[in-house]
Amino acid sequence: MTRPVPRLAPLLALILLVAGCDDPMVDQAKYEAYEKAELFPDGKTNQPPVPGTIARGQLDYFATLRQRPPLTRALVERGRERFDIFCVPCHGRTGDGDGMIVRRGFPSPPSYHTERLRNAPTEHFVQVVTNGYGVMYSYADRVPPADRWAIAAYIRALQLSQDFPVARLSDEARSRLEEAR
Amino acid sequence: MAQIFPPVADTCVKLAGIAVAVLVVGGLMVAGGAVRSDWLTRVGVAPDQPVPFSHKHHAGELGIDCRYCHDDVERSASAGFPPTKTCMTCHSQLWTNAEALAPVRSSFTTGEPLAWNRVHDLPDYVYFNHSIHVAHGVGCVECHGRIDRMNRVAKVHALYMSWCLDCHRDPAPHLRPPERVFDLDWQPPADARALGSELVARFGIEPANLDSCYVCHR
């Protein structure tokens, strides 16, 4: 009566083994982004490039940063989207400097609708995003050069929206304004 | 020869047989259920994190866009975890003495990244890519649920292959205009399928090819 048990034992062991062990297909011998990497001394999968490396496309990066793109509707719309993501938390939707994070205690940024910032060259806004300004950190790691120009173009549009001479309004817009008054 | 077993033994053997059958079938059912249970798939179970970071607070109440922190999600396979510097754009000035944020500050000074515990992690033999879903109108909320209401992130779907396939075979009712992908409040119009079919056509999505094995196992 003891015979069937030993015969089943290896099978049972195999089933338990398959069910219990880590599947080598699930965790393969490769590193995925953000996985801990035992191979490298600092344990990170994402290794920084060797100091002095010139990345492919880096010349384009600086060329785009230096060269102001032509002003198009698409550029301003892209700028609005990026501004809403990265700048609105502090600068607010209209650039008054009263965003949600400021209301929670972050130091107030200046309003974009001041004489000084209206007269600042467009490059200044690109500069601030690239290098940061005072307590505001740089956004260069998250906002690529083309988007910095787009944001700058949108800030110009915001400034215009708060400072537009009535005389230059279209007839239709002016009559709507009169009605609103 | 005298009988070895009393007459009742017959019944005993039959009962034992039934008991074994019930145990085997029942055991298989329990095991099968366990494999698909929330306990094993971790649906609704939030892992511990090194910092008590809350999406409900940051993405919900403060209204910060997903892309402020997950800025890679539109252009790469991985949505990515924000580097400590991203936290510090605000926390260099805000809550600078909070005990909860001590690991963030020490990570910023030492350069040692915060070790977030993964909530979603597909097996290595599955290929997934965020950017194509995001570009073609699959909202974050379709797959991750109301992140903006979670204090700690937990999965809302078990990420079974059948779940991926259900959508890949008929994506139309799950699609939204791409500019609404990050808007977790967006509600589909009454005729979601009509809008979806229009988007399927606009993006050239071919559901007939989307369930081929090589799409996800490459």
Side-chain angles (χ1 to χ4, degrees):
Chain A
M1 270 313 284
T2 52
R3 290 221 47 203
V5 177
R7 220 185 281 157
L8 278 178
L11 189 67
L12 207 71
L14 195 72
I15 291 173
L16 285 177
L17 206 71
V18 169
C21 75
D22 283 338
D23 187 337
M25 289 300 282
V26 170
D27 192 7
Q28 296 172 5
K30 66 180 181 191
Y31 293 138
E32 291 191 298
Y34 301 101
E35 198 170 312
K36 202 174 168 61
E38 265 104 35
L39 210 57
F40 300 116
D42 63 0
K44 296 177 204 165
T45 299
N46 300 340
Q47 289 290 303
V50 180
T53 307
I54 309 280
R56 213 172 247 262
Q58 202 152 331
L59 292 179
D60 290 347
Y61 181 98
F62 289 116
T64 319
L65 193 56
R66 245 180 282 118
Q67 183 58 45
R68 180 182 184 160
L71 184 63
T72 59
R73 193 186 171 92
L75 184 77
V76 179
E77 273 166 2
R78 172 78 182 171
R80 176 186 192 152
E81 188 189 85
R82 296 293 117 175
F83 184 84
D84 285 354
I85 299 168
F86 294 109
C87 319
V88 159
C90 297
H91 288 276
R93 295 238 165 239
T94 51
D96 287 328
D98 63 344
M100 180 57 101
I101 306 304
V102 173
R103 276 179 259 156
R104 296 298 174 104
F106 201 87
S108 286
S111 162
Y112 292 153
H113 313 293
T114 59
E115 215 41 47
R116 180 175 67 87
L117 285 176
R118 276 189 195 127
N119 294 330
T122 307
E123 285 75 11
H124 179 61
F125 300 100
V126 175
Q127 275 290 323
V128 171
V129 181
T130 307
N131 301 321
Y133 190 92
V135 297
M136 174 185 147
Y137 276 38
S138 156
Y139 282 75
D141 50 347
R142 280 174 283 164
V143 183
D147 284 346
R148 293 175 214 167
W149 284 108
I151 289 176
Y154 180 63
I155 293 179
R156 283 288 181 234
L158 278 179
Q159 289 178 327
L160 201 60
S161 76
Q162 308 292 310
D163 182 34
F164 198 79
V166 177
R168 277 175 58 199
L169 285 176
S170 70
D171 290 343
E172 194 219 328
R174 204 169 341 159
S175 63
R176 273 219 313 256
L177 184 71
E178 295 301 331
E179 266 170 44
R181 274 181 185 169
Chain B
M1 190 176 156
Q3 282 188 334
I4 300 174
F5 298 109
V8 70
D10 253 10
T11 325
C12 283
V13 168
K14 276 185 200 148
L15 277 179
I18 293 171
V20 167
V22 166
L23 271 179
V24 168
V25 173
L28 283 176
M29 282 166 71
V30 168
V35 166
R36 304 231 132 197
S37 73
D38 289 354
W39 181 69
L40 268 186
T41 58
R42 318 295 293 169
V43 167
V45 183
D48 281 340
Q49 297 292 4
V51 181
F53 174 80
S54 162
H55 280 79
K56 178 166 183 259
H57 197 138
H58 290 84
E61 288 151 21
L62 299 175
I64 308 172
D65 193 287
C66 311
R67 289 164 287 182
Y68 190 96
C69 296
H70 303 294
D71 58 302
D72 279 339
V73 75
E74 290 173 298
R75 41 175 190 252
S76 68
S78 165
F81 293 91
T84 306
K85 187 186 162 214
T86 299
C87 312
M88 291 303 276
T89 54
C90 294
H91 288 296
S92 58
Q93 301 290 326
L94 279 177
W95 284 47
T96 46
N97 293 319
E99 190 53 40
L101 283 159
V104 176
R105 291 188 296 268
S106 82
S107 158
F108 191 63
T109 37
T110 60
E112 190 63 33
L114 291 164
W116 301 109
N117 287 311
R118 300 218 38 156
V119 182
H120 307 77
D121 198 2
L122 289 170
D124 284 2
Y125 56 77
V126 182
Y127 173 77
F128 179 77
N129 191 322
H130 273 94
S131 62
I132 188 155
H133 290 94
V134 171
H136 287 177
V138 188
C140 313
V141 71
E142 283 290 338
C143 303
H144 295 304
R146 290 306 298 245
I147 292 277
D148 61 336
R149 293 182 187 158
M150 296 180 195
N151 271 321
R152 305 282 170 272
V153 181
K155 281 196 283 194
V156 295
H157 296 290
L159 311 184
Y160 290 133
M161 175 163 138
S162 58
W163 173 72
C164 312
L165 289 178
D166 282 345
C167 181
H168 276 207
R169 287 179 178 147
D170 181 23
H174 301 283
L175 299 183
R176 56 181 69 204
E179 63 274 14
R180 294 275 168 251
V181 161
F182 302 90
D183 179 356
L184 308 192
D185 279 322
W186 185 81
Q187 291 297 326
D191 197 352
R193 183 165 286 280
L195 171 70
S197 308
E198 186 197 313
L199 290 168
V200 165
R202 190 194 320 165
F203 296 131
I205 298 172
E206 293 174 22
N209 296 334
L210 268 184
D211 66 351
S212 306
C213 317
Y214 61 75
V215 168
C216 308
H217 305 292
R218 35 177 106 179

